[in-house]
Amino acid sequence: MSSGPLVLGIETSCDETAVGIVCGRTLLANVISSSVEEHARFGGVVPEIASRAHLEAMPSVIEQALFESNVTLKDIDAIGVTAGPGLIGALLVGTSAAQGLALALNKPVYGVNHLSAHLAVDALDESTSLKPAIGLLVSGGHSSIIQITDMARGVEVLGQTIDDAAGEAFDKIARLLELDFPGGPSIDRLAREGDARAIEFPRGLQDSDYNFSFSGLKTAVSRYLHQTPHSIRADIAASFQEAVVDVLLTKALRACIERGIDSLIIAGGVAANSRLRTEAAERCEIAGIELRIPPSALCTDNGAMVAAITSLALSAGVAPTHLGFATLSTAPLDHPVWA
Ligand code: KG4
Ligand code: ZN
């Protein structure tokens, strides 16, 4: 086995009950049980259903991760757990499990920031060295451009959305197009059959700073649908997706150039989007920027990312979190680990 601390990470901020185990920067297991199908008929995640599903799934997900890693609980050096942002009831299941384990095993526990964890999953690509990068974090609740110097101690947020998050925009447009929940993967699939140049949707705040706005785009798509009810759904999906991808990458690459940083990390659920991945690869190649984008399965919520940020914090000498720590529905990125 490779060197470094053996860390078990628990993620329960939304509808995935997930446990990952890493040794240093090596991924050993990444087990996910999702309650997404139980929420589908409501068109969004129902917090109470998510919390109950976490309670039911937690023991077997932990057992499976240990089994796949070929380790026992006694071998674990530290436990990491998402403490926020997220749904409070859902977070509490994870933080209670983590603190219970820490007490029983007499090991340190790290309450970590879900957003920092999304970025830190990049560290599990052992072929790359950990160096300064610009981060484009695009999830269901967040869209931010970040300057990363030390992931384990805090990062500088350069800009973020002033209204909807990128994933939220995907989910809302999918609902307008009567596609399945969650909307991002549905739009991604439908867009492959459409023409991305069919409709010129607006690119919000394109010329200003590093902030994003997706509400104008949402309104434009909604208006287009009402005015042309028989238009081709796949063209709308592809053109909408193109507008989001264009604005995200324009700003992320501008940040790399203006800040003199030649590495871009794209993370969060929307980083699983196939068009974003292809276009990012092309634009980064042209600009001479190294693109670091995790495999799709590590972009959406998972436990490996929680184990990754915990492992980085442990290796950087960051102190563990005090037992009895709070869960937070919102949490800034400059605090990767709870005190
Ligand atoms: O990071 P994540 O799994 O959960 C949060 O922390 O929010 O992100 C979930 C978001 C959802 O809005 C979902 O629709 C979006 O990521 N998403 C995608 C794709 N896969 C997931 N958006 C676009 N294309 C995808 N392939
Ligand atoms: Zn997430």
Side-chain angles (χ1 to χ4, degrees):
M1 192 181 290
S2 46
S3 63
L6 188 65
V7 177
L8 182 142
I10 299 176
E11 156 61 34
T12 62
S13 68
C14 194
D15 56 341
E16 267 90 27
T17 315
V19 173
I21 298 181
V22 305
C23 180
R25 288 178 57 193
T26 308
L27 177 61
L28 302 182
N30 185 35
V31 179
I32 301 173
S33 165
S34 176
S35 59
V36 66
E37 279 169 18
E38 294 176 55
H39 306 284
R41 71 191 168 99
F42 301 103
V45 174
V46 182
E48 184 64 16
I49 294 177
S51 306
R52 282 166 192 267
H54 288 315
L55 262 181
E56 282 164 19
M58 185 62 71
S60 60
V61 174
I62 293 175
E63 264 174 38
Q64 182 66 22
L66 291 166
F67 174 77
E68 287 182 18
S69 307
N70 199 20
V71 298
T72 68
L73 275 177
K74 288 203 183 89
D75 301 322
I76 300 291
D77 295 312
I79 293 149
V81 61
T82 300
L87 304 169
I88 291 295
L91 290 166
L92 277 170
V93 179
T95 55
S96 304
Q99 292 182 84
L101 281 175
L103 267 175
L105 300 168
N106 196 23
K107 299 288 172 173
V109 63
Y110 286 77
V112 305
N113 187 312
H114 179 82
L115 307 173
S116 309
H118 266 304
L119 291 169
V121 84
D122 165 69
L124 299 180
D125 177 358
E126 296 163 278
S127 66
T128 60
S129 58
L130 299 176
K131 58 177 187 178
I134 291 294
L136 172 63
L137 177 66
V138 274
S139 70
H142 294 81
S143 305
S144 313
I145 292 190
I146 296 138
Q147 184 159 347
I148 303 165
T149 313
D150 184 346
M151 202 111 58
R153 294 189 186 275
V155 299
E156 185 190 349
V157 178
L158 303 180
Q160 55 201 339
T161 182
I162 60 167
D163 39 56
D164 291 348
E168 197 179 351
F170 270 94
D171 294 336
K172 286 179 176 169
I173 297 303
R175 216 171 298 151
L176 284 180
L177 294 173
E178 294 171 358
L179 301 175
D180 288 342
F181 172 82
S186 299
I187 290 196
D188 195 344
R189 273 192 303 275
L190 180 63
R192 284 177 209 155
E193 298 156 26
D195 177 2
R197 287 159 305 176
I199 312 146
E200 185 68 24
F201 285 128
R203 272 75 168 145
L205 301 183
Q206 181 134 29
D207 297 322
S208 70
D209 51 16
Y210 300 128
N211 287 337
F212 297 111
S213 167
F214 294 109
S215 70
L217 172 61
K218 192 180 62 188
T219 308
V221 176
S222 167
R223 195 175 301 138
Y224 186 88
L225 259 170
H226 280 105
Q227 286 168 353
T228 48
H230 301 297
S231 50
I232 301 169
R233 293 288 199 261
D235 285 351
I236 298 177
S239 302
F240 157 76
Q241 179 175 267
E242 200 65 15
V244 176
V245 166
D246 184 20
V247 82
L248 289 176
L249 291 177
T250 300
K251 295 205 174 204
L253 268 86
R254 191 195 298 154
C256 288
I257 292 159
E258 288 177 356
R259 297 274 164 154
I261 294 175
D262 66 355
S263 205
L264 173 65
I265 299 175
I266 308 186
V270 180
N273 182 266
S274 61
R275 181 72 191 125
L276 178 64
R277 298 174 80 89
T278 312
E279 184 68 10
E282 280 176 21
R283 291 197 195 186
C284 284
E285 165 114 49
I286 293 167
I289 289 165
E290 175 201 24
L291 175 64
R292 285 150 55 175
I293 185 163
S296 293
L298 293 180
C299 290
T300 43
D301 292 348
N302 63 82
M305 67 190 207
V306 178
I309 185 69
T310 306
S311 176
L312 291 180
L314 202 65
S315 302
V318 176
T321 306
H322 291 101
L323 285 178
F325 57 88
T327 53
L328 297 175
S329 57
T330 56
L333 260 166
D334 45 10
H335 284 98
V337 176
W338 269 227

